[in-house]
Amino acid sequence: MSDMTIKTSRFGEVSYKQEDLLIFPRGIPAFETMHEWILAGSDDSAIKWLQSINDGDLALPVTSPDAIQPDYNARIPEDELKMIGTVNPADLALLIVVSIPPAAPWNMTANLRAPILINLKTHKAVQVIALNEEYPIRHVIFPEDVREKMKASAQLKQENGGDE
């Protein structure tokens, strides 16, 4: 099957194949009309982008929950698993949506409460609310000392006119 392309504001023109599509039957909360997405971004980055095929300006940063919390173990309602066609953990991949404030990336958070489930066989996907009430919607990614160093570095760079 031939490659298709989409013009995106973040990555320019992106090529993808039909088998790269992730289908969200009910969309993603706040983007319910967007059903087709692809994963885009650098292979060597822990953060990928869930890029809408329907809107080149819409891309959500995502990562593996292991990158944020190695012992992450979301309890998923069984009806949500059935929606994407599997209850077999071997057929699943999980992603976590990340929020990156443009002016303060050191304050990046991850939504551990609402993972995205992907059926690796059918490419159906859904964002769900995990049954684990202890998982926050805004889990701070960087420890305080790292955030302070990142913030100080950004301020120094700004004071020096953008030069390092």
Side-chain angles (χ1 to χ4, degrees):
M1 184 168 285
S2 64
D3 284 359
M4 295 169 272
T5 59
I6 177 176
K7 280 191 187 251
T8 71
S9 56
R10 179 167 299 280
F11 302 104
E13 198 165 279
V14 175
S15 294
Y16 65 95
K17 296 178 178 3
Q18 183 70 30
E19 59 265 22
D20 297 330
L21 285 177
L22 298 175
I23 306 300
F24 287 77
R26 63 179 182 214
I28 294 175
F31 307 105
E32 288 82 2
T33 61
M34 306 293 171
H35 298 280
E36 297 180 326
W37 302 74
I38 57 170
L39 283 174
S42 173
D43 286 342
D44 60 351
S45 175
I47 304 247
K48 303 291 184 234
W49 294 82
L50 198 55
Q51 172 66 57
S52 170
I53 294 304
N54 309 101
D55 182 347
D57 294 332
L58 179 57
L60 304 173
V62 295
T63 192
S64 164
D66 293 339
I68 310 251
Q69 187 164 332
D71 63 348
Y72 185 76
N73 187 20
R75 292 190 330 269
I76 307 301
E78 196 168 316
D79 58 330
E80 299 285 6
L81 293 169
K82 289 179 181 173
M83 173 178 274
I84 61 170
T86 188
V87 292
N88 183 351
D91 295 340
L92 289 177
L94 285 178
L95 294 174
I96 300 295
V97 178
V98 177
S99 177
I100 308 170
W106 49 87
N107 288 329
M108 184 183 316
T109 61
N111 184 346
L112 297 179
R113 189 66 194 273
I116 293 174
L117 304 176
I118 301 169
N119 181 326
L120 297 170
K121 289 184 176 178
T122 67
H123 291 233
K124 280 189 178 179
V126 64
Q127 187 172 20
V128 303
I129 302 296
L131 298 173
N132 312 62
E133 292 184 18
E134 69 273 17
Y135 287 144
I137 293 171
R138 289 182 189 88
H139 173 79
V140 176
I141 293 178
F142 298 115
E144 183 65 29
D145 62 325
V146 173
R147 285 186 285 152
E148 288 303 318
K149 286 178 186 174
M150 291 172 74
K151 185 176 180 181
S153 175
Q155 287 172 338
L156 184 61
K157 186 176 178 181
Q158 186 177 14
E159 290 168 6
N160 292 329
D163 296 332
E164 301 213 26

PDB file of all heavy atoms in Angstrom, residues 45-75:
ATOM      1  N   SER A  45      13.734   9.833  21.053  1.00  0.00           N
ATOM      2  CA  SER A  45      13.118  10.636  22.111  1.00  0.00           C
ATOM      3  C   SER A  45      12.107   9.808  22.895  1.00  0.00           C
ATOM      4  O   SER A  45      11.357   9.021  22.313  1.00  0.00           O
ATOM      5  CB  SER A  45      12.407  11.852  21.499  1.00  0.00           C
ATOM      6  OG  SER A  45      11.713  12.554  22.507  1.00  0.00           O
ATOM      7  N   ALA A  46      12.080   9.996  24.201  1.00  0.00           N
ATOM      8  CA  ALA A  46      11.085   9.309  25.041  1.00  0.00           C
ATOM      9  C   ALA A  46       9.692   9.867  24.800  1.00  0.00           C
ATOM     10  O   ALA A  46       8.698   9.189  25.028  1.00  0.00           O
ATOM     11  CB  ALA A  46      11.453   9.454  26.512  1.00  0.00           C
ATOM     12  N   ILE A  47       9.624  11.097  24.311  1.00  0.00           N
ATOM     13  CA  ILE A  47       8.334  11.723  24.018  1.00  0.00           C
ATOM     14  C   ILE A  47       8.051  11.572  22.534  1.00  0.00           C
ATOM     15  O   ILE A  47       8.868  11.917  21.692  1.00  0.00           O
ATOM     16  CB  ILE A  47       8.334  13.214  24.400  1.00  0.00           C
ATOM     17  CG1 ILE A  47       8.696  13.374  25.853  1.00  0.00           C
ATOM     18  CG2 ILE A  47       7.029  13.871  24.006  1.00  0.00           C
ATOM     19  CD1 ILE A  47       7.688  13.872  26.796  1.00  0.00           C
ATOM     20  N   LYS A  48       6.893  11.024  22.244  1.00  0.00           N
ATOM     21  CA  LYS A  48       6.393  10.947  20.871  1.00  0.00           C
ATOM     22  C   LYS A  48       5.185  11.887  20.793  1.00  0.00           C
ATOM     23  O   LYS A  48       4.738  12.434  21.802  1.00  0.00           O
ATOM     24  CB  LYS A  48       5.942   9.519  20.528  1.00  0.00           C
ATOM     25  CG  LYS A  48       7.018   8.477  20.706  1.00  0.00           C
ATOM     26  CD  LYS A  48       8.113   8.630  19.696  1.00  0.00           C
ATOM     27  CE  LYS A  48       9.129   7.511  19.829  1.00  0.00           C
ATOM     28  NZ  LYS A  48      10.462   7.957  19.982  1.00  0.00           N
ATOM     29  N   TRP A  49       4.658  12.029  19.619  1.00  0.00           N
ATOM     30  CA  TRP A  49       3.498  12.897  19.434  1.00  0.00           C
ATOM     31  C   TRP A  49       2.386  12.098  18.771  1.00  0.00           C
ATOM     32  O   TRP A  49       2.606  11.459  17.746  1.00  0.00           O
ATOM     33  CB  TRP A  49       3.877  14.113  18.590  1.00  0.00           C
ATOM     34  CG  TRP A  49       4.843  14.984  19.317  1.00  0.00           C
ATOM     35  CD1 TRP A  49       6.196  14.821  19.401  1.00  0.00           C
ATOM     36  CD2 TRP A  49       4.522  16.120  20.112  1.00  0.00           C
ATOM     37  NE1 TRP A  49       6.734  15.789  20.195  1.00  0.00           N
ATOM     38  CE2 TRP A  49       5.737  16.611  20.639  1.00  0.00           C
ATOM     39  CE3 TRP A  49       3.330  16.786  20.427  1.00  0.00           C
ATOM     40  CZ2 TRP A  49       5.795  17.735  21.461  1.00  0.00           C
ATOM     41  CZ3 TRP A  49       3.391  17.908  21.238  1.00  0.00           C
ATOM     42  CH2 TRP A  49       4.612  18.367  21.748  1.00  0.00           C
ATOM     43  N   LEU A  50       1.228  12.124  19.385  1.00  0.00           N
ATOM     44  CA  LEU A  50       0.028  11.528  18.809  1.00  0.00           C
ATOM     45  C   LEU A  50      -0.533  12.602  17.879  1.00  0.00           C
ATOM     46  O   LEU A  50      -1.074  13.610  18.330  1.00  0.00           O
ATOM     47  CB  LEU A  50      -0.948  11.173  19.930  1.00  0.00           C
ATOM     48  CG  LEU A  50      -2.054  10.199  19.622  1.00  0.00           C
ATOM     49  CD1 LEU A  50      -1.523   8.879  19.072  1.00  0.00           C
ATOM     50  CD2 LEU A  50      -2.881   9.934  20.862  1.00  0.00           C
ATOM     51  N   GLN A  51      -0.296  12.412  16.588  1.00  0.00           N
ATOM     52  CA  GLN A  51      -0.636  13.408  15.572  1.00  0.00           C
ATOM     53  C   GLN A  51      -1.973  13.062  14.925  1.00  0.00           C
ATOM     54  O   GLN A  51      -2.152  11.961  14.417  1.00  0.00           O
ATOM     55  CB  GLN A  51       0.459  13.449  14.493  1.00  0.00           C
ATOM     56  CG  GLN A  51       0.144  14.308  13.294  1.00  0.00           C
ATOM     57  CD  GLN A  51       0.063  15.780  13.638  1.00  0.00           C
ATOM     58  OE1 GLN A  51       1.007  16.351  14.159  1.00  0.00           O
ATOM     59  NE2 GLN A  51      -1.072  16.398  13.343  1.00  0.00           N
ATOM     60  N   SER A  52      -2.894  14.007  14.952  1.00  0.00           N
ATOM     61  CA  SER A  52      -4.188  13.806  14.303  1.00  0.00           C
ATOM     62  C   SER A  52      -4.000  13.811  12.791  1.00  0.00           C
ATOM     63  O   SER A  52      -3.290  14.649  12.248  1.00  0.00           O
ATOM     64  CB  SER A  52      -5.162  14.917  14.707  1.00  0.00           C
ATOM     65  OG  SER A  52      -6.329  14.854  13.917  1.00  0.00           O
ATOM     66  N   ILE A  53      -4.661  12.884  12.125  1.00  0.00           N
ATOM     67  CA  ILE A  53      -4.646  12.841  10.663  1.00  0.00           C
ATOM     68  C   ILE A  53      -5.636  13.859  10.111  1.00  0.00           C
ATOM     69  O   ILE A  53      -5.484  14.368   9.020  1.00  0.00           O
ATOM     70  CB  ILE A  53      -5.014  11.410  10.171  1.00  0.00           C
ATOM     71  CG1 ILE A  53      -3.933  10.434  10.592  1.00  0.00           C
ATOM     72  CG2 ILE A  53      -5.227  11.362   8.664  1.00  0.00           C
ATOM     73  CD1 ILE A  53      -2.545  10.784  10.134  1.00  0.00           C
ATOM     74  N   ASN A  54      -6.655  14.185  10.907  1.00  0.00           N
ATOM     75  CA  ASN A  54      -7.708  15.094  10.470  1.00  0.00           C
ATOM     76  C   ASN A  54      -7.348  16.572  10.653  1.00  0.00           C
ATOM     77  O   ASN A  54      -7.974  17.438  10.062  1.00  0.00           O
ATOM     78  CB  ASN A  54      -9.006  14.804  11.234  1.00  0.00           C
ATOM     79  CG  ASN A  54      -9.376  13.336  11.173  1.00  0.00           C
ATOM     80  OD1 ASN A  54      -9.139  12.604  12.118  1.00  0.00           O
ATOM     81  ND2 ASN A  54      -9.914  12.898  10.045  1.00  0.00           N
ATOM     82  N   ASP A  55      -6.359  16.859  11.503  1.00  0.00           N
ATOM     83  CA  ASP A  55      -5.991  18.241  11.802  1.00  0.00           C
ATOM     84  C   ASP A  55      -4.480  18.310  11.990  1.00  0.00           C
ATOM     85  O   ASP A  55      -3.956  17.876  13.016  1.00  0.00           O
ATOM     86  CB  ASP A  55      -6.715  18.710  13.068  1.00  0.00           C
ATOM     87  CG  ASP A  55      -6.428  20.154  13.438  1.00  0.00           C
ATOM     88  OD1 ASP A  55      -5.473  20.751  12.875  1.00  0.00           O
ATOM     89  OD2 ASP A  55      -7.132  20.695  14.296  1.00  0.00           O
ATOM     90  N   GLY A  56      -3.784  18.842  11.007  1.00  0.00           N
ATOM     91  CA  GLY A  56      -2.323  18.911  11.043  1.00  0.00           C
ATOM     92  C   GLY A  56      -1.774  19.761  12.175  1.00  0.00           C
ATOM     93  O   GLY A  56      -0.594  19.686  12.496  1.00  0.00           O
ATOM     94  N   ASP A  57      -2.612  20.601  12.785  1.00  0.00           N
ATOM     95  CA  ASP A  57      -2.181  21.440  13.904  1.00  0.00           C
ATOM     96  C   ASP A  57      -2.333  20.748  15.250  1.00  0.00           C
ATOM     97  O   ASP A  57      -1.891  21.286  16.261  1.00  0.00           O
ATOM     98  CB  ASP A  57      -2.982  22.750  13.935  1.00  0.00           C
ATOM     99  CG  ASP A  57      -2.688  23.631  12.736  1.00  0.00           C
ATOM    100  OD1 ASP A  57      -1.571  23.546  12.188  1.00  0.00           O
ATOM    101  OD2 ASP A  57      -3.585  24.408  12.337  1.00  0.00           O
ATOM    102  N   LEU A  58      -2.968  19.582  15.272  1.00  0.00           N
ATOM    103  CA  LEU A  58      -3.274  18.914  16.538  1.00  0.00           C
ATOM    104  C   LEU A  58      -2.353  17.709  16.769  1.00  0.00           C
ATOM    105  O   LEU A  58      -2.395  16.725  16.035  1.00  0.00           O
ATOM    106  CB  LEU A  58      -4.732  18.444  16.544  1.00  0.00           C
ATOM    107  CG  LEU A  58      -5.209  17.698  17.785  1.00  0.00           C
ATOM    108  CD1 LEU A  58      -5.004  18.529  19.042  1.00  0.00           C
ATOM    109  CD2 LEU A  58      -6.676  17.321  17.627  1.00  0.00           C
ATOM    110  N   ALA A  59      -1.501  17.840  17.785  1.00  0.00           N
ATOM    111  CA  ALA A  59      -0.600  16.752  18.174  1.00  0.00           C
ATOM    112  C   ALA A  59      -0.464  16.781  19.690  1.00  0.00           C
ATOM    113  O   ALA A  59      -0.268  17.846  20.282  1.00  0.00           O
ATOM    114  CB  ALA A  59       0.761  16.901  17.506  1.00  0.00           C
ATOM    115  N   LEU A  60      -0.596  15.611  20.304  1.00  0.00           N
ATOM    116  CA  LEU A  60      -0.501  15.497  21.751  1.00  0.00           C
ATOM    117  C   LEU A  60       0.784  14.776  22.129  1.00  0.00           C
ATOM    118  O   LEU A  60       1.054  13.690  21.614  1.00  0.00           O
ATOM    119  CB  LEU A  60      -1.697  14.701  22.298  1.00  0.00           C
ATOM    120  CG  LEU A  60      -3.088  15.219  21.959  1.00  0.00           C
ATOM    121  CD1 LEU A  60      -4.150  14.225  22.416  1.00  0.00           C
ATOM    122  CD2 LEU A  60      -3.307  16.574  22.584  1.00  0.00           C
ATOM    123  N   PRO A  61       1.586  15.351  23.036  1.00  0.00           N
ATOM    124  CA  PRO A  61       2.793  14.646  23.469  1.00  0.00           C
ATOM    125  C   PRO A  61       2.414  13.450  24.339  1.00  0.00           C
ATOM    126  O   PRO A  61       1.559  13.549  25.221  1.00  0.00           O
ATOM    127  CB  PRO A  61       3.566  15.699  24.263  1.00  0.00           C
ATOM    128  CG  PRO A  61       2.555  16.714  24.673  1.00  0.00           C
ATOM    129  CD  PRO A  61       1.438  16.649  23.677  1.00  0.00           C
ATOM    130  N   VAL A  62       3.041  12.316  24.071  1.00  0.00           N
ATOM    131  CA  VAL A  62       2.774  11.080  24.811  1.00  0.00           C
ATOM    132  C   VAL A  62       4.092  10.369  25.092  1.00  0.00           C
ATOM    133  O   VAL A  62       5.092  10.601  24.413  1.00  0.00           O
ATOM    134  CB  VAL A  62       1.818  10.128  24.046  1.00  0.00           C
ATOM    135  CG1 VAL A  62       0.431  10.728  23.883  1.00  0.00           C
ATOM    136  CG2 VAL A  62       2.392   9.737  22.693  1.00  0.00           C
ATOM    137  N   THR A  63       4.074   9.493  26.082  1.00  0.00           N
ATOM    138  CA  THR A  63       5.239   8.680  26.394  1.00  0.00           C
ATOM    139  C   THR A  63       4.781   7.381  27.024  1.00  0.00           C
ATOM    140  O   THR A  63       3.609   7.236  27.400  1.00  0.00           O
ATOM    141  CB  THR A  63       6.220   9.438  27.322  1.00  0.00           C
ATOM    142  OG1 THR A  63       7.456   8.728  27.361  1.00  0.00           O
ATOM    143  CG2 THR A  63       5.675   9.593  28.723  1.00  0.00           C
ATOM    144  N   SER A  64       5.697   6.470  27.152  1.00  0.00           N
ATOM    145  CA  SER A  64       5.424   5.224  27.848  1.00  0.00           C
ATOM    146  C   SER A  64       5.317   5.517  29.342  1.00  0.00           C
ATOM    147  O   SER A  64       6.116   6.293  29.872  1.00  0.00           O
ATOM    148  CB  SER A  64       6.562   4.243  27.599  1.00  0.00           C
ATOM    149  OG  SER A  64       6.509   3.183  28.525  1.00  0.00           O
ATOM    150  N   PRO A  65       4.381   4.902  30.035  1.00  0.00           N
ATOM    151  CA  PRO A  65       4.299   5.137  31.480  1.00  0.00           C
ATOM    152  C   PRO A  65       5.573   4.713  32.213  1.00  0.00           C
ATOM    153  O   PRO A  65       5.916   5.292  33.241  1.00  0.00           O
ATOM    154  CB  PRO A  65       3.090   4.315  31.924  1.00  0.00           C
ATOM    155  CG  PRO A  65       2.745   3.426  30.799  1.00  0.00           C
ATOM    156  CD  PRO A  65       3.341   4.001  29.563  1.00  0.00           C
ATOM    157  N   ASP A  66       6.299   3.741  31.680  1.00  0.00           N
ATOM    158  CA  ASP A  66       7.549   3.291  32.305  1.00  0.00           C
ATOM    159  C   ASP A  66       8.592   4.400  32.367  1.00  0.00           C
ATOM    160  O   ASP A  66       9.450   4.406  33.249  1.00  0.00           O
ATOM    161  CB  ASP A  66       8.138   2.092  31.553  1.00  0.00           C
ATOM    162  CG  ASP A  66       7.264   0.853  31.676  1.00  0.00           C
ATOM    163  OD1 ASP A  66       6.457   0.782  32.618  1.00  0.00           O
ATOM    164  OD2 ASP A  66       7.400  -0.040  30.829  1.00  0.00           O
ATOM    165  N   ALA A  67       8.532   5.338  31.420  1.00  0.00           N
ATOM    166  CA  ALA A  67       9.488   6.448  31.405  1.00  0.00           C
ATOM    167  C   ALA A  67       9.240   7.407  32.568  1.00  0.00           C
ATOM    168  O   ALA A  67      10.130   8.135  32.976  1.00  0.00           O
ATOM    169  CB  ALA A  67       9.395   7.198  30.080  1.00  0.00           C
ATOM    170  N   ILE A  68       8.023   7.370  33.106  1.00  0.00           N
ATOM    171  CA  ILE A  68       7.640   8.304  34.172  1.00  0.00           C
ATOM    172  C   ILE A  68       7.586   7.609  35.526  1.00  0.00           C
ATOM    173  O   ILE A  68       8.062   8.129  36.519  1.00  0.00           O
ATOM    174  CB  ILE A  68       6.243   8.884  33.864  1.00  0.00           C
ATOM    175  CG1 ILE A  68       6.214   9.402  32.455  1.00  0.00           C
ATOM    176  CG2 ILE A  68       5.790   9.838  34.940  1.00  0.00           C
ATOM    177  CD1 ILE A  68       6.175  10.775  32.146  1.00  0.00           C
ATOM    178  N   GLN A  69       6.959   6.446  35.522  1.00  0.00           N
ATOM    179  CA  GLN A  69       6.787   5.701  36.769  1.00  0.00           C
ATOM    180  C   GLN A  69       6.972   4.213  36.464  1.00  0.00           C
ATOM    181  O   GLN A  69       6.038   3.549  36.021  1.00  0.00           O
ATOM    182  CB  GLN A  69       5.406   5.986  37.365  1.00  0.00           C
ATOM    183  CG  GLN A  69       5.220   5.377  38.728  1.00  0.00           C
ATOM    184  CD  GLN A  69       4.027   5.979  39.454  1.00  0.00           C
ATOM    185  OE1 GLN A  69       3.652   7.102  39.233  1.00  0.00           O
ATOM    186  NE2 GLN A  69       3.443   5.191  40.323  1.00  0.00           N
ATOM    187  N   PRO A  70       8.176   3.691  36.715  1.00  0.00           N
ATOM    188  CA  PRO A  70       8.486   2.301  36.336  1.00  0.00           C
ATOM    189  C   PRO A  70       7.534   1.251  36.912  1.00  0.00           C
ATOM    190  O   PRO A  70       7.324   0.218  36.287  1.00  0.00           O
ATOM    191  CB  PRO A  70       9.906   2.093  36.862  1.00  0.00           C
ATOM    192  CG  PRO A  70      10.483   3.471  36.898  1.00  0.00           C
ATOM    193  CD  PRO A  70       9.341   4.379  37.255  1.00  0.00           C
ATOM    194  N   ASP A  71       6.931   1.519  38.055  1.00  0.00           N
ATOM    195  CA  ASP A  71       6.013   0.535  38.645  1.00  0.00           C
ATOM    196  C   ASP A  71       4.549   0.814  38.288  1.00  0.00           C
ATOM    197  O   ASP A  71       3.641   0.298  38.925  1.00  0.00           O
ATOM    198  CB  ASP A  71       6.191   0.473  40.163  1.00  0.00           C
ATOM    199  CG  ASP A  71       5.839   1.783  40.852  1.00  0.00           C
ATOM    200  OD1 ASP A  71       5.682   2.823  40.154  1.00  0.00           O
ATOM    201  OD2 ASP A  71       5.706   1.792  42.085  1.00  0.00           O
ATOM    202  N   TYR A  72       4.335   1.595  37.235  1.00  0.00           N
ATOM    203  CA  TYR A  72       2.968   1.944  36.813  1.00  0.00           C
ATOM    204  C   TYR A  72       2.187   0.675  36.492  1.00  0.00           C
ATOM    205  O   TYR A  72       2.671  -0.193  35.765  1.00  0.00           O
ATOM    206  CB  TYR A  72       3.030   2.851  35.583  1.00  0.00           C
ATOM    207  CG  TYR A  72       1.698   3.378  35.126  1.00  0.00           C
ATOM    208  CD1 TYR A  72       1.060   4.398  35.801  1.00  0.00           C
ATOM    209  CD2 TYR A  72       1.079   2.861  33.996  1.00  0.00           C
ATOM    210  CE1 TYR A  72      -0.150   4.897  35.375  1.00  0.00           C
ATOM    211  CE2 TYR A  72      -0.133   3.349  33.553  1.00  0.00           C
ATOM    212  CZ  TYR A  72      -0.740   4.371  34.248  1.00  0.00           C
ATOM    213  OH  TYR A  72      -1.960   4.859  33.824  1.00  0.00           O
ATOM    214  N   ASN A  73       1.002   0.571  37.039  1.00  0.00           N
ATOM    215  CA  ASN A  73       0.169  -0.607  36.832  1.00  0.00           C
ATOM    216  C   ASN A  73      -1.293  -0.182  36.859  1.00  0.00           C
ATOM    217  O   ASN A  73      -1.993  -0.379  37.851  1.00  0.00           O
ATOM    218  CB  ASN A  73       0.457  -1.660  37.911  1.00  0.00           C
ATOM    219  CG  ASN A  73      -0.257  -2.958  37.643  1.00  0.00           C
ATOM    220  OD1 ASN A  73      -0.668  -3.229  36.520  1.00  0.00           O
ATOM    221  ND2 ASN A  73      -0.417  -3.768  38.670  1.00  0.00           N
ATOM    222  N   ALA A  74      -1.730   0.417  35.769  1.00  0.00           N
ATOM    223  CA  ALA A  74      -3.106   0.903  35.689  1.00  0.00           C
ATOM    224  C   ALA A  74      -4.085  -0.264  35.677  1.00  0.00           C
ATOM    225  O   ALA A  74      -3.889  -1.245  34.969  1.00  0.00           O
ATOM    226  CB  ALA A  74      -3.289   1.748  34.438  1.00  0.00           C
ATOM    227  N   ARG A  75      -5.117  -0.141  36.495  1.00  0.00           N
ATOM    228  CA  ARG A  75      -6.224  -1.100  36.468  1.00  0.00           C
ATOM    229  C   ARG A  75      -7.271  -0.534  35.509  1.00  0.00           C
ATOM    230  O   ARG A  75      -7.806   0.551  35.735  1.00  0.00           O
ATOM    231  CB  ARG A  75      -6.781  -1.309  37.879  1.00  0.00           C
ATOM    232  CG  ARG A  75      -5.790  -2.026  38.794  1.00  0.00           C
ATOM    233  CD  ARG A  75      -6.365  -2.473  40.142  1.00  0.00           C
ATOM    234  NE  ARG A  75      -7.428  -1.670  40.694  1.00  0.00           N
ATOM    235  CZ  ARG A  75      -7.259  -0.632  41.535  1.00  0.00           C
ATOM    236  NH1 ARG A  75      -6.058  -0.262  41.905  1.00  0.00           N
ATOM    237  NH2 ARG A  75      -8.304   0.038  42.003  1.00  0.00           N
TER     238      ARG A  75
END
